[in-house]
Every structure is written in structure tokens, then in C-alpha cells.
Amino acid sequence: MKLRKVSAAAAAALVLTLTATACGGDDKDSSDTGSGSGGGDKIKIGIKYDQPGLGLKEPDGSFSGFDVDVATYVAKELGYEPNQIEFVETKSADRENALARGDVKFIAATYSINDERAKKVDFAGPYLLAHQDLLVKADSDISEGTDLNGKNLCSVTGSTSAQNVKDEIAPKANLKQLSGYSECISGLQAGSVDALTTDDSILAGFAAQDQYKGQFKLTGLKLSNENYGIGVKKGDTETVNKINDALEKMVSDGAWETAVKDNFGPANYKNEPAPKIGNIVK
Ligand code: GLU
């Protein structure tokens, strides 16, 4: 099968989710993940720790990336200063459970909105549109039209990237699923993996790392549309609404563009323009 774009039937229910959750009514923030009142409280926010340019825990313990900047802006709008934020690692496969358990108040972690997830969590946003792509060795001949069935691919458990491979992109590929994308890189370097597949935003960040410079390239294939949302506990409509307001403000006051330049500029990632709240690109 040839590479082709995933025509996601997914996410159809999003608008419904965004507008029809007011009846959920179970929520009222009982946990200590953040009440929005500020005043000495902490807020726990889920991010990735191993995705340069999006969510990265630096060796000195600080955090960087576009998701970190978005999360910090949103937290401020909810009443929390940066020193009141506690970032928590939420790996791809753990996100729905982390929200259901109340481990975090919200998640900003390259978290694509889709139907399946929207059954378990609510989403604010979207705040970025990315596309699934392949990261291959600089001398690889994998490109548009290459049959990926039978190839050794690496992706992450619980990601849309892995699901898209299984459903549409290459159901007969030899797909290795690890717990984080950084873990796929050594296989790619060693040649046991032909391509690491996930969002182009993430892959660009890896390719631009000093230690990988010149070793890898993105194929530039837009294999899917990945609409990044901010996940919140199912039924917490109040927080969804507040976060949507914050995201709108972040775009209109220019902070979104600044975050894009700061975090994607170094990787030379050409991002899509800011999405409109509730506008899911299928
Ligand atoms: N955006 C995709 C997803 O939500 C891939 C990146 C990730 O695993 O976080 O699954």
C-alpha cells in the first residue's frame, strides 16, 4: 500500500464534546491539582519530558518547549504564577488515566484531539495543527510512494501515530512501540529501525538536536492531521472554557507567535497558522 494521508473519521464528536459537556456535572475540582484561585496553591500540569521543542526536561531540572510555554500562559490566565506550576510527566499512553485520576489539572503534551480520547477526556483548543511524518536516516531512500509494509517502524504506545500506522499507513509494517519517541532514536541510528514516525513538530525537534545534526531527515509527508488540544478531566467544562479563553488571548496578544518562534525557530519547523478554537482539521 502506498503512503497516503489518513482521512481521519476521528474527532467528529469534538465540537459536540466542546459544547455538550455542561451536563456532565460530576466534576467540581475536588483534587489538589489546582483550583484556579491562585493565592499560594500549586497547579499540576502534564507535559512530555523527552520532546525537544515541545516538552523537554532540561538537565538542570527546568522545562522548555512550545507546550511548556502554552501551559505556562494558560496557568497564568487561570491564576497561577510560573513558580506555582508543578510539571508532571504524562507519557502518551498515560494521559487519559492521569486526567481521570486527577493527577493533573490539565495536559499540554502534543495531545491530539480524536473521538476515542474525547470519550474519556474533554479538550480545549486546538492550539496547533501538526502532521504525522517520518524521520529517517539522512541517506535513506524512503520517500513519498515508498511501501512501508514490511519496514521496521518505531513509534510510541498510546499515540495516534502508532494507531495510524496500524489502521491505514502500513498495517503490515513491523511496528515497534516504545514508551517515548526518544527511545526510538537509538534504533534509527543503529539501523534496526527504518523510520521513526510521529508528528512533524516532534521529529523536527529531534533532527535539530546538536548530537543528531546531519544524521536524520524528515520525509515531509503529511500522513495525518494532528490537532493538539489541552486535555482536562471529563466534565470539567468550566476549565475547558477558561482554557479556550486563554488560548484565544494567547493568539491575539502575540504570545502564541512568540512561543512558536522561540521553540520551532531553532528546529526550522514550519508550523501551520494558529487554529481557531473548536476548528478541527480532519
Ligand atoms: N500527537 C500524537 C498523539 O497525541 C502523537 C504525539 C504523542 O504521542 O504525544 O498521540
Side-chain angles (χ1 to χ4, degrees):
M1 188 181 116
K2 284 194 156 196
L3 293 182
R4 64 190 171 81
K5 187 167 170 162
V6 174
S7 54
L14 176 84
V15 175
L16 260 180
T17 309
L18 288 176
T19 53
T21 47
C23 55
D26 73 326
D27 82 313
K28 213 47 219 179
D29 183 16
S30 52
S31 66
D32 59 354
T33 53
S35 65
S37 57
D41 300 351
K42 290 263 185 197
I43 184 168
K44 290 185 183 167
I45 303 174
I47 58 165
K48 294 294 185 73
Y49 275 16
D50 70 338
Q51 296 179 186
L54 271 311
L56 188 69
K57 185 168 184 183
E58 305 280 0
D60 68 0
S62 64
F63 298 94
S64 71
F66 183 69
D67 281 338
V68 170
D69 288 355
V70 169
T72 303
Y73 187 101
V74 166
K76 175 108 184 162
E77 292 300 303
L78 296 181
Y80 298 90
E81 295 300 320
N83 64 9
Q84 292 174 283
I85 297 173
E86 186 183 328
F87 286 115
V88 174
E89 185 177 30
T90 44
K91 290 175 179 276
S92 296
D94 299 337
R95 293 175 290 201
E96 289 83 23
N97 287 338
L99 287 170
R101 283 194 302 261
D103 294 351
V104 291
K105 182 72 175 173
F106 66 82
I107 289 181
T110 60
Y111 198 8
S112 298
I113 298 166
N114 70 16
D115 284 354
E116 208 44 43
R117 292 171 178 171
K119 287 180 196 156
K120 299 178 188 154
V121 305
D122 284 341
F123 285 105
Y127 64 94
L128 190 74
L129 174 62
H131 305 281
Q132 187 166 350
D133 196 351
L134 306 171
L135 188 72
V136 296
K137 275 201 164 161
D139 61 359
S140 169
D141 54 11
I142 291 178
S143 62
E144 179 142 35
T146 302
D147 188 351
L148 293 175
N149 286 301
K151 297 273 188 212
N152 297 317
L153 304 185
C154 191
S155 197
V156 162
T157 312
S159 68
T160 53
S161 320
Q163 198 60 47
N164 290 341
V165 168
K166 291 183 268 187
D167 290 348
E168 299 199 40
I169 295 168
K172 297 209 172 81
N174 172 25
L175 176 65
K176 187 184 275 184
Q177 296 179 79
L178 303 179
S179 73
Y181 299 102
S182 53
E183 294 166 35
C184 289
I185 296 272
S186 51
L188 194 59
Q189 277 177 314
S192 58
V193 166
D194 298 313
L196 156 54
T197 184
T198 187
D199 307 337
D200 47 10
S201 47
I202 299 170
L203 298 176
F206 280 121
Q209 292 288 287
D210 277 346
Q211 73 263 39
Y212 305 133
K213 277 244 167 80
Q215 291 185 43
F216 307 124
K217 65 182 178 191
L218 277 74
T219 60
L221 299 168
K222 290 182 161 52
L223 298 168
S224 71
N225 293 318
E226 303 295 324
N227 300 269
Y228 289 4
I230 296 202
V232 304
K233 191 175 197 163
K234 190 90 192 144
D236 189 358
T237 313
E238 194 188 329
T239 302
V240 169
N241 292 338
K242 282 187 193 163
I243 294 176
N244 280 335
D245 289 348
L247 292 172
E248 244 161 26
K249 187 171 167 205
M250 188 176 184
V251 172
S252 67
D253 72 8
W256 187 91
E257 200 57 47
T258 302
V260 155
K261 287 212 180 80
D262 290 351
N263 295 293
F264 297 144
N268 206 19
Y269 174 61
K270 302 275 177 283
N271 62 283
E272 302 270 4
K276 293 259 176 298
I277 298 303
N279 184 17
I280 307 298
V281 179
K282 301 282 173 62

